[in-house]
Amino acid sequence: MKKSIWMPVSISVVMLMAACGGGEEKKAEEKASTAETTAPAADNSMVADVTGKGKELMAAQDCATCHKETEKVIGPSFKEIAAKYPSNPENIATLADKIISGGSGNWGEIPMAPHAGISKSDAEEMVKYILTVK
Ligand code: HEC
């Protein structure tokens, strides 16, 4: 009697645990770049805000003179940049510094002009957006 009651319960507990564990691992991966929020719903809206903000910030700058979303102009397309760098905190920080200080050598000899007036956090928002372009 006891067994027939507990068997299905323990099976479904195991399945639940497996389902939760898998979900959390996946979430942790997705969150590696944003790292602050916990709830999946809040996470999604954060990402939407972040990309929107980065795009807006770039619209106020000269980026479009040299960069397009999918075509190479003077600089690499955002799609190429996103393909080269996974969106993680190190890449976001490095690329943000590069936007501010300028530089060359990763894509060719043509240098990117420095943008000394952009704050580090704004530059990071721009990179977060660029790295979502697929
Ligand atoms: C004068 C042209 C020019 C402008 C303006 C410009 N870029 Fe670039 N950008 C380049 C070139 C050229 C490269 C490739 C540099 C290299 O080979 O390392 C580049 C590279 C990049 C990279 C990749 C850096 C790397 O190390 O791989 C990012 C990210 C980037 N630009 C973002 C921006 C953003 C954001 C803006 C606007 C604030 C901007 N760029 C404005 C020309 C430009």
Side-chain angles (χ1 to χ4, degrees):
M1 255 317 245
K2 253 193 181 170
K3 246 188 189 166
S4 61
I5 293 169
W6 284 106
M7 276 291 276
V9 172
S10 55
I11 286 170
S12 51
V13 166
V14 167
M15 280 169 61
L16 255 177
M17 277 164 63
C20 285
E24 252 159 50
E25 248 170 56
K26 206 169 156 218
K27 245 190 275 160
E29 256 172 49
E30 283 167 13
K31 251 193 304 184
S33 56
T34 40
E36 299 115 338
T37 46
T38 43
D43 220 13
N44 289 342
S45 60
M46 275 281 296
V47 170
D49 283 356
V50 158
T51 56
K53 192 173 173 204
K55 200 171 183 178
E56 262 174 45
L57 288 168
M58 286 196 291
Q61 297 290 334
D62 61 353
C63 321
T65 318
C66 302
H67 296 284
K68 295 260 179 302
E69 305 254 309
T70 54
E71 281 163 64
K72 182 177 172 17
V73 191
I74 294 167
S77 72
F78 293 151
K79 197 177 162 186
E80 285 176 293
I81 297 173
K84 179 168 169 154
Y85 303 98
S87 182
N88 62 37
E90 285 102 286
N91 285 340
I92 290 170
T94 312
L95 293 175
D97 283 339
K98 177 126 175 190
I99 293 170
I100 296 167
S101 336
S104 66
N106 284 341
W107 298 88
E109 293 314 305
I110 307 167
M112 172 154 70
H115 296 82
I118 300 177
S119 73
K120 180 86 184 254
S121 63
D122 282 359
E124 288 186 348
E125 295 300 332
M126 294 176 197
V127 175
K128 282 182 199 163
Y129 166 68
I130 291 169
L131 296 186
T132 64
V133 179
K134 291 279 141 67

